[in-house]
Amino acid sequence: MSTSPLLEDLALARSTVDRSAHFRKDSEAMSRAWADTSSRVLPVYRGSASTTPENELRYLPTAAIAANTPVAFLGCESGVWYFCAFVDQEFVDQHDPESWRNLRVIGAVLNARDAGLLVTGVALANWHETHTHCPRCGIHTSVTDAGWTRTCPADNSVHFPRTDPAVIMLITDHQDRALLARQVRWQPGWLSVLAGFVESGESAEAAVVRETAEEAGVEVNPQTVQYLGSQPWPFPNSLMLGYQARASSKYSLEARIDLTVDGEEIAHAQWFSRSELIDASRAKEIHLPPPISIAHRLIVHWLGEPLPRESAFR
Ligand SMILES: [Zn+2]
Protein backbone atom coordinates (compact mmCIF):
# COMPACT_ATOMS: atom_id res chain seq x y z
CA MET A 1 0.00 0.00 0.00
CA SER A 2 1.23 3.46 -0.86
CA THR A 3 2.44 5.73 1.91
CA SER A 4 2.37 8.87 -0.25
CA PRO A 5 0.39 11.67 1.38
CA LEU A 6 -0.65 12.88 -2.10
CA LEU A 7 -3.45 11.70 -4.35
CA GLU A 8 -1.90 9.37 -6.93
CA ASP A 9 -2.84 8.62 -10.54
CA LEU A 10 -5.32 11.45 -10.91
CA ALA A 11 -7.10 10.62 -14.19
CA LEU A 12 -6.01 13.70 -16.15
CA ALA A 13 -2.58 14.04 -14.53
CA ARG A 14 -1.33 10.81 -16.09
CA SER A 15 1.03 10.97 -19.04
CA THR A 16 3.96 9.00 -20.40
CA VAL A 17 5.11 10.89 -23.49
CA ASP A 18 8.21 13.07 -23.11
CA ARG A 19 7.20 16.59 -24.18
CA SER A 20 10.68 17.14 -25.71
CA ALA A 21 10.08 20.89 -25.49
CA HIS A 22 13.57 21.69 -26.81
CA PHE A 23 12.47 20.55 -30.30
CA ARG A 24 9.65 23.11 -30.52
CA LYS A 25 11.95 25.89 -31.69
CA ASP A 26 13.94 23.54 -33.96
CA SER A 27 12.03 23.91 -37.23
CA GLU A 28 14.35 21.51 -39.06
CA ALA A 29 13.75 18.75 -36.51
CA MET A 30 10.02 19.48 -36.59
CA SER A 31 9.94 19.22 -40.40
CA ARG A 32 11.81 15.90 -40.25
CA ALA A 33 9.42 14.61 -37.56
CA TRP A 34 6.39 15.63 -39.66
CA ALA A 35 7.88 13.87 -42.73
CA ASP A 36 8.56 10.68 -40.73
CA THR A 37 6.00 8.04 -41.76
CA SER A 38 5.99 6.56 -38.25
CA SER A 39 4.89 9.88 -36.69
CA ARG A 40 1.35 9.94 -35.32
CA VAL A 41 -1.24 12.74 -35.25
CA LEU A 42 -4.13 13.03 -32.83
CA PRO A 43 -6.98 15.00 -34.43
CA VAL A 44 -8.86 17.07 -31.81
CA TYR A 45 -12.20 18.83 -32.23
CA ARG A 46 -14.17 20.63 -29.48
CA GLY A 47 -12.63 18.63 -26.63
CA SER A 48 -13.15 15.32 -28.43
CA ALA A 49 -11.13 12.70 -30.29
CA SER A 50 -11.94 9.58 -32.26
CA THR A 51 -11.74 6.41 -30.15
CA THR A 52 -11.74 2.66 -30.70
CA PRO A 53 -14.24 0.31 -29.01
CA GLU A 54 -11.36 -0.57 -26.65
CA ASN A 55 -11.20 3.05 -25.45
CA GLU A 56 -7.96 3.85 -27.22
CA LEU A 57 -7.40 6.99 -29.26
CA ARG A 58 -7.19 6.76 -33.05
CA TYR A 59 -4.00 8.34 -34.41
CA LEU A 60 -3.36 9.11 -38.07
CA PRO A 61 -0.18 9.37 -40.14
CA THR A 62 0.79 12.98 -40.87
CA ALA A 63 -0.02 12.45 -44.57
CA ALA A 64 -3.72 12.21 -43.60
CA ILE A 65 -3.74 15.81 -42.32
CA ALA A 66 -4.40 18.61 -44.86
CA ALA A 67 -1.58 21.13 -45.26
CA ASN A 68 -3.56 24.11 -43.94
CA THR A 69 -4.63 22.38 -40.68
CA PRO A 70 -3.04 23.94 -37.56
CA VAL A 71 -1.00 21.40 -35.60
CA ALA A 72 1.08 21.24 -32.42
CA PHE A 73 3.94 19.00 -31.37
CA LEU A 74 3.05 16.91 -28.30
CA GLY A 75 6.25 14.95 -27.71
CA CYS A 76 8.12 11.73 -28.28
CA GLU A 77 7.88 8.15 -27.01
CA SER A 78 9.74 5.01 -28.10
CA GLY A 79 11.02 6.80 -31.20
CA VAL A 80 7.53 7.93 -32.28
CA TRP A 81 6.80 11.64 -32.66
CA TYR A 82 3.31 12.71 -31.57
CA PHE A 83 1.39 15.72 -32.87
CA CYS A 84 -2.16 16.95 -32.49
CA ALA A 85 -4.16 18.60 -35.26
CA PHE A 86 -6.92 21.12 -34.60
CA VAL A 87 -9.52 19.84 -37.07
CA ASP A 88 -13.00 21.06 -38.03
CA GLN A 89 -16.50 19.61 -38.24
CA GLU A 90 -15.95 18.57 -41.85
CA PHE A 91 -12.94 16.45 -40.84
CA VAL A 92 -14.99 14.80 -38.07
CA ASP A 93 -17.80 14.03 -40.54
CA GLN A 94 -15.30 12.24 -42.80
CA HIS A 95 -13.72 10.21 -39.97
CA ASP A 96 -16.31 7.95 -38.33
CA PRO A 97 -18.21 10.74 -36.54
CA GLU A 98 -19.90 8.26 -34.16
CA SER A 99 -16.51 7.34 -32.71
CA TRP A 100 -15.68 10.85 -31.40
CA ARG A 101 -15.92 11.18 -27.63
CA ASN A 102 -15.26 14.01 -25.24
CA LEU A 103 -12.29 14.05 -22.88
CA ARG A 104 -14.68 14.49 -19.93
CA VAL A 105 -16.35 11.20 -20.84
CA ILE A 106 -13.32 9.07 -21.70
CA GLY A 107 -10.51 10.72 -19.70
CA ALA A 108 -10.68 8.25 -16.82
CA VAL A 109 -10.72 5.11 -19.00
CA LEU A 110 -7.92 6.02 -21.43
CA ASN A 111 -4.44 4.59 -20.87
CA ALA A 112 -1.89 7.02 -19.42
CA ARG A 113 -0.26 7.84 -22.78
CA ASP A 114 -3.56 8.64 -24.45
CA ALA A 115 -4.89 10.59 -21.45
CA GLY A 116 -1.78 12.79 -21.34
CA LEU A 117 -1.81 13.48 -25.09
CA LEU A 118 -5.54 14.26 -25.28
CA VAL A 119 -5.48 16.55 -22.23
CA THR A 120 -2.63 18.53 -23.76
CA GLY A 121 -4.23 18.58 -27.21
CA VAL A 122 -7.56 19.80 -25.84
CA ALA A 123 -5.90 22.46 -23.67
CA LEU A 124 -3.89 23.79 -26.64
CA ALA A 125 -6.92 23.68 -28.95
CA ASN A 126 -8.99 25.69 -26.44
CA TRP A 127 -6.25 28.29 -26.16
CA HIS A 128 -5.67 28.71 -29.92
CA GLU A 129 -9.42 28.97 -30.50
CA THR A 130 -9.88 31.83 -28.02
CA HIS A 131 -6.55 33.69 -28.32
CA THR A 132 -6.28 34.48 -31.99
CA HIS A 133 -5.31 38.16 -31.74
CA CYS A 134 -2.51 40.17 -30.16
CA PRO A 135 -3.60 41.63 -26.76
CA ARG A 136 -1.29 44.62 -27.39
CA CYS A 137 -2.21 45.77 -30.87
CA GLY A 138 -5.20 43.62 -31.83
CA ILE A 139 -3.96 42.08 -35.06
CA HIS A 140 -4.07 38.39 -35.88
CA THR A 141 -1.14 36.41 -34.45
CA SER A 142 0.76 33.53 -36.08
CA VAL A 143 1.19 30.06 -34.59
CA THR A 144 4.86 29.57 -33.69
CA ASP A 145 7.14 27.14 -31.81
CA ALA A 146 5.34 24.04 -33.10
CA GLY A 147 2.02 25.24 -31.72
CA TRP A 148 3.25 26.31 -28.27
CA THR A 149 3.29 30.07 -28.81
CA ARG A 150 1.60 32.71 -30.93
CA THR A 151 3.64 35.62 -32.21
CA CYS A 152 2.45 39.05 -33.31
CA PRO A 153 3.84 39.94 -36.76
CA ALA A 154 3.53 43.68 -36.01
CA ASP A 155 5.24 44.06 -32.62
CA ASN A 156 6.92 40.61 -32.30
CA SER A 157 5.32 40.00 -28.91
CA VAL A 158 5.16 36.30 -28.02
CA HIS A 159 2.10 34.83 -26.28
CA PHE A 160 1.98 31.57 -24.32
CA PRO A 161 -0.88 29.13 -23.65
CA ARG A 162 -2.90 30.33 -20.69
CA THR A 163 -3.64 28.11 -17.69
CA ASP A 164 -5.81 29.42 -14.84
CA PRO A 165 -4.99 27.98 -11.38
CA ALA A 166 -8.00 27.05 -9.28
CA VAL A 167 -8.15 25.59 -5.78
CA ILE A 168 -10.51 22.78 -4.85
CA MET A 169 -10.80 21.83 -1.21
CA LEU A 170 -12.39 19.39 1.16
CA ILE A 171 -13.13 21.27 4.40
CA THR A 172 -13.79 19.34 7.61
CA ASP A 173 -15.21 20.34 11.00
CA HIS A 174 -14.00 19.23 14.46
CA GLN A 175 -15.79 15.91 14.17
CA ASP A 176 -14.25 15.28 10.75
CA ARG A 177 -17.49 15.86 8.87
CA ALA A 178 -17.00 17.06 5.28
CA LEU A 179 -18.43 20.25 3.79
CA LEU A 180 -20.21 19.63 0.46
CA ALA A 181 -22.12 22.15 -1.60
CA ARG A 182 -24.33 22.53 -4.66
CA GLN A 183 -23.55 25.14 -7.30
CA VAL A 184 -26.45 27.34 -8.37
CA ARG A 185 -26.38 25.95 -11.92
CA TRP A 186 -26.49 22.29 -10.79
CA GLN A 187 -29.53 20.06 -10.43
CA PRO A 188 -30.93 19.48 -6.91
CA GLY A 189 -29.00 16.74 -5.12
CA TRP A 190 -25.72 17.29 -6.96
CA LEU A 191 -22.98 18.01 -4.44
CA SER A 192 -19.25 18.53 -4.51
CA VAL A 193 -16.46 20.12 -2.53
CA LEU A 194 -15.86 23.88 -2.74
CA ALA A 195 -13.62 25.34 -5.44
CA GLY A 196 -12.61 28.68 -6.89
CA PHE A 197 -10.02 30.52 -8.94
CA VAL A 198 -6.83 31.83 -7.43
CA GLU A 199 -6.84 35.62 -7.79
CA SER A 200 -3.98 37.79 -9.02
CA GLY A 201 -1.39 38.29 -6.30
CA GLU A 202 -2.83 35.51 -4.12
CA SER A 203 -1.31 32.23 -2.93
CA ALA A 204 -3.26 29.01 -3.49
CA GLU A 205 -3.47 28.49 0.29
CA ALA A 206 -4.96 31.96 0.80
CA ALA A 207 -7.49 31.22 -1.95
CA VAL A 208 -8.62 28.10 -0.05
CA VAL A 209 -9.34 30.23 3.03
CA ARG A 210 -10.98 33.08 1.10
CA GLU A 211 -13.19 30.93 -1.13
CA THR A 212 -14.45 28.87 1.83
CA ALA A 213 -15.43 32.06 3.68
CA GLU A 214 -17.08 33.56 0.58
CA GLU A 215 -18.98 30.51 -0.61
CA ALA A 216 -20.04 28.86 2.68
CA GLY A 217 -19.37 31.44 5.41
CA VAL A 218 -16.89 29.15 7.19
CA GLU A 219 -13.61 30.38 8.64
CA VAL A 220 -10.73 27.99 7.90
CA ASN A 221 -7.71 27.55 10.17
CA PRO A 222 -4.91 28.59 7.74
CA GLN A 223 -2.42 26.33 9.54
CA THR A 224 -4.40 23.23 8.52
CA VAL A 225 -4.44 23.92 4.76
CA GLN A 226 -2.70 20.91 3.19
CA TYR A 227 -1.87 20.29 -0.48
CA LEU A 228 -2.98 16.91 -1.86
CA GLY A 229 -2.20 17.03 -5.59
CA SER A 230 -3.11 18.66 -8.89
CA GLN A 231 -4.46 17.83 -12.31
CA PRO A 232 -5.06 19.82 -15.49
CA TRP A 233 -8.74 20.50 -16.18
CA PRO A 234 -8.90 21.89 -19.73
CA PHE A 235 -12.61 22.81 -19.61
CA PRO A 236 -11.53 25.25 -20.88
CA ASN A 237 -8.14 25.98 -19.27
CA SER A 238 -7.82 25.34 -15.53
CA LEU A 239 -5.25 23.64 -13.36
CA MET A 240 -6.99 22.23 -10.28
CA LEU A 241 -4.93 22.35 -7.08
CA GLY A 242 -6.41 19.97 -4.50
CA TYR A 243 -6.37 20.74 -0.76
CA GLN A 244 -7.87 19.67 2.52
CA ALA A 245 -8.32 22.02 5.49
CA ARG A 246 -10.11 22.24 8.82
CA ALA A 247 -12.52 24.83 10.16
CA SER A 248 -11.22 27.40 12.65
CA SER A 249 -10.90 26.37 16.30
CA LYS A 250 -13.07 29.36 17.21
CA TYR A 251 -16.16 27.25 16.55
CA SER A 252 -17.90 25.19 19.24
CA LEU A 253 -16.81 21.55 19.21
CA GLU A 254 -20.32 20.23 19.79
CA ALA A 255 -22.68 22.07 17.43
CA ARG A 256 -22.51 21.84 13.63
CA ILE A 257 -20.97 24.98 12.20
CA ASP A 258 -23.60 27.23 10.61
CA LEU A 259 -23.27 27.58 6.85
CA THR A 260 -24.11 30.74 4.92
CA VAL A 261 -24.03 30.26 1.17
CA ASP A 262 -23.37 33.19 -1.15
CA GLY A 263 -26.42 32.41 -3.32
CA GLU A 264 -24.50 33.51 -6.43
CA GLU A 265 -22.22 30.53 -6.98
CA ILE A 266 -23.39 28.20 -4.19
CA ALA A 267 -27.07 27.42 -3.63
CA HIS A 268 -26.77 24.95 -0.76
CA ALA A 269 -24.08 23.63 1.58
CA GLN A 270 -24.14 20.87 4.15
CA TRP A 271 -21.89 18.95 6.59
CA PHE A 272 -21.76 15.17 6.14
CA SER A 273 -20.39 12.48 8.42
CA ARG A 274 -19.01 9.46 6.56
CA SER A 275 -22.08 7.33 7.29
CA GLU A 276 -24.44 10.16 6.33
CA LEU A 277 -22.67 10.54 3.01
CA ILE A 278 -22.72 6.83 2.20
CA ASP A 279 -26.38 6.47 3.19
CA ALA A 280 -27.52 9.52 1.18
CA SER A 281 -25.45 8.40 -1.79
CA ARG A 282 -26.80 4.82 -1.75
CA ALA A 283 -30.35 6.17 -1.45
CA LYS A 284 -29.60 8.41 -4.49
CA GLU A 285 -30.64 11.46 -2.48
CA ILE A 286 -27.32 13.00 -3.45
CA HIS A 287 -25.05 12.66 -6.47
CA LEU A 288 -21.31 13.23 -6.32
CA PRO A 289 -18.65 14.12 -8.95
CA PRO A 290 -17.40 11.37 -11.31
CA PRO A 291 -14.06 9.54 -10.88
CA ILE A 292 -12.31 11.70 -13.53
CA SER A 293 -12.53 14.74 -11.21
CA ILE A 294 -10.16 15.66 -8.41
CA ALA A 295 -13.31 16.45 -6.37
CA HIS A 296 -14.22 12.74 -6.46
CA ARG A 297 -10.73 11.81 -5.33
CA LEU A 298 -10.75 14.34 -2.47
CA ILE A 299 -14.05 12.90 -1.21
CA VAL A 300 -12.79 9.29 -1.47
CA HIS A 301 -9.54 10.30 0.27
CA TRP A 302 -11.54 11.68 3.21
CA LEU A 303 -14.07 8.83 3.17
CA GLY A 304 -11.38 6.13 3.24
CA GLU A 305 -13.32 3.87 0.88
CA PRO A 306 -14.68 3.95 -2.69
CA LEU A 307 -17.92 5.82 -3.30
CA PRO A 308 -21.02 3.80 -4.18
CA ARG A 309 -21.05 3.31 -7.95
CA GLU A 310 -24.48 4.87 -8.39
CA SER A 311 -23.42 8.15 -6.88
CA ALA A 312 -21.80 9.87 -9.88
CA PHE A 313 -23.71 12.79 -11.40
CA ARG A 314 -22.07 12.97 -14.81
ZN1 LIG B 1 0.75 42.99 -31.65
Side-chain angles (χ1 to χ4, degrees):
M1 199 174 148
S2 165
T3 53
S4 169
L6 298 180
L7 301 174
E8 293 183 322
D9 291 326
L10 287 159
L12 300 188
R14 299 170 300 146
S15 69
T16 61
V17 169
D18 185 326
R19 292 182 169 229
S20 307
H22 56 288
F23 283 122
R24 293 173 193 161
K25 286 182 184 294
D26 185 342
S27 53
E28 226 170 84
M30 290 289 91
S31 298
R32 270 203 314 276
W34 189 258
D36 189 330
T37 53
S38 66
S39 293
R40 287 292 170 264
V41 186
L42 175 63
V44 173
Y45 178 68
R46 295 204 169 158
S48 297
S50 177
T51 58
T52 69
E54 294 76 37
N55 293 319
E56 291 185 348
L57 297 179
R58 288 185 211 267
Y59 297 88
L60 295 173
T62 59
I65 305 298
N68 60 349
T69 308
V71 299
F73 173 59
L74 296 180
C76 212
E77 184 178 84
S78 307
V80 177
W81 304 81
Y82 288 94
F83 294 84
C84 61
F86 311 126
V87 299
D88 55 16
Q89 181 70 55
E90 192 184 342
F91 183 96
V92 173
D93 291 342
Q94 292 165 355
H95 292 81
D96 194 5
E98 297 297 312
S99 72
W100 288 67
R101 292 160 77 197
N102 194 278
L103 173 61
R104 265 184 197 265
V105 177
I106 51 166
V109 297
L110 292 174
N111 63 49
R113 180 198 67 183
D114 285 358
L117 291 174
L118 185 55
V119 168
T120 305
V122 168
L124 283 174
N126 290 343
W127 175 66
H128 283 293
E129 195 176 322
T130 53
H131 292 76
T132 51
H133 289 70
C134 178
R136 294 192 187 173
C137 71
I139 75 165
H140 197 269
T141 50
S142 315
V143 177
T144 40
D145 295 337
W148 284 88
T149 58
R150 298 185 71 98
T151 303
C152 175
D155 56 29
N156 291 318
S157 60
V158 181
H159 307 280
F160 293 85
R162 174 174 166 169
T163 300
D164 294 338
V167 289
I168 182 160
M169 51 278 184
L170 188 136
I171 307 299
T172 51
D173 70 3
H174 308 298
Q175 296 183 29
D176 213 21
R177 287 179 287 233
L179 174 54
L180 300 180
R182 176 170 76 84
Q183 291 187 22
V184 168
R185 59 196 172 87
W186 288 355
Q187 295 174 27
W190 287 17
L191 290 172
S192 185
V193 295
L194 298 178
F197 287 109
V198 180
E199 292 189 341
S200 296
E202 184 178 46
S203 71
E205 290 76 11
V208 168
V209 175
R210 176 183 54 76
E211 285 284 346
T212 306
E214 285 176 7
E215 295 190 338
V218 173
E219 189 178 317
V220 164
N221 177 349
Q223 291 174 336
T224 64
V225 176
Q226 189 187 357
Y227 175 72
L228 288 180
S230 71
Q231 76 169 350
W233 193 246
F235 312 109
N237 57 354
S238 296
L239 172 67
M240 306 305 294
L241 308 165
Y243 285 86
Q244 62 184 11
R246 190 159 284 242
S248 161
S249 55
K250 76 170 190 180
Y251 295 110
S252 150
L253 297 185
E254 287 80 34
R256 291 199 182 210
I257 300 168
D258 287 339
L259 298 168
T260 314
V261 297
D262 63 10
E264 285 178 27
E265 284 182 67
I266 299 298
H268 172 75
Q270 195 175 336
W271 294 105
F272 284 88
S273 68
R274 289 178 177 81
S275 60
E276 286 167 348
L277 186 78
I278 289 171
D279 290 349
S281 171
R282 287 218 175 98
K284 297 187 184 177
E285 292 161 8
I286 63 167
H287 298 277
L288 299 165
I292 191 175
S293 66
I294 194 168
H296 179 102
R297 297 291 306 276
L298 288 169
I299 294 169
V300 169
H301 180 76
W302 162 79
L303 193 61
E305 61 181 277
L307 282 164
R309 188 176 292 271
E310 58 271 37
S311 69
F313 64 51
R314 263 186 230 127

